Amino acid sequence: MKRFKILRNILLATIASSSLLNVAHADDALKMELTANQVIKNAEGKTVYKPVRTAPAGTVIQYKANYTNTINKDINDLMVTLPIPANMTFTGDAMPASAQASIDGENYADIPLMRKVDGKMVKIPYSEYRTLRWNIKLLPAKKSAAVALNTTVN
């Protein structure tokens, strides 16, 4: 019986180690780089992006996350989420436009979010949006995909 307990403990330790190694490997498979840029229209009317650290109220800031698959295997159905920072309001601009939004960080729906008020469906103001998420259907081996959202400084 004692021998059985020792074997069982060794087996459990091996399974736990193997699981932890798989999790670590999965974590290393995806690299994310986040940038914040001020959105500006130049003299020709073209949108340009300028790195920013601080900005006055009313400034439009784009948060962009670039996800890179670092392994030699495709990643399927990758769900990525970007929070809308405190003191910022989502503008309604998300790239790609397939983003879903949430006002509580748990329940997501297509944009624009709607709710029932006095028996009528009305749009939820962008100021109540807290996070956006995207489903990247396929991120090929050694390739990148980017998602972005625009906000205004409150």
Side-chain angles (χ1 to χ4, degrees), residues 59 62 67 91 102 129:
T59 304
Q62 181 183 79
Y67 294 91
T91 66
S102 174
Y129 288 34

Side-chain angles (χ1 to χ4, degrees), residues 106-126:
E106 294 179 19
N107 301 297
Y108 288 86
D110 294 336
I111 298 172
L113 295 178
M114 306 291 284
R115 75 169 136 227
K116 194 176 273 191
V117 176
D118 296 327
K120 294 181 182 180
M121 294 303 288
V122 299
K123 290 182 182 179
I124 296 175
Y126 290 138

Side-chain angles (χ1 to χ4, degrees), residues 2-123:
K2 191 173 187 178
R3 198 175 269 173
F4 174 74
K5 285 183 181 179
I6 292 171
L7 286 174
R8 188 188 76 145
N9 289 341
I10 291 171
L11 180 61
L12 288 174
T14 303
I15 291 170
S17 302
S18 173
S19 296
L20 289 174
L21 286 174
N22 286 337
V23 168
H25 179 69
D27 288 345
D28 294 339
L30 192 64
K31 178 181 151 197
M32 191 269 279
E33 179 184 3
L34 182 66
T35 57
N37 292 293
Q38 183 175 355
V39 180
I40 303 169
K41 293 277 187 192
N42 67 12
E44 294 83 36
K46 183 179 176 187
T47 302
V48 294
Y49 302 94
K50 176 183 161 190
V52 67
R53 287 186 163 268
T54 61
T59 304
V60 177
I61 306 293
Q62 181 183 79
Y63 290 94
K64 183 176 182 180
N66 192 48
Y67 294 91
T68 303
N69 179 350
T70 63
I71 60 174
N72 290 319
K73 185 177 180 184
D74 294 349
I75 298 174
N76 295 304
D77 291 319
L78 177 63
M79 195 68 68
V80 298
T81 304
L82 281 181
I84 297 164
N87 301 318
M88 305 292 270
T89 298
F90 177 55
T91 66
D93 293 323
M95 290 68 66
S98 60
Q100 291 187 315
S102 174
I103 60 172
D104 62 9
E106 294 179 19
N107 301 297
Y108 288 86
D110 294 336
I111 298 172
L113 295 178
M114 306 291 284
R115 75 169 136 227
K116 194 176 273 191
V117 176
D118 296 327
K120 294 181 182 180
M121 294 303 288
V122 299
K123 290 182 182 179

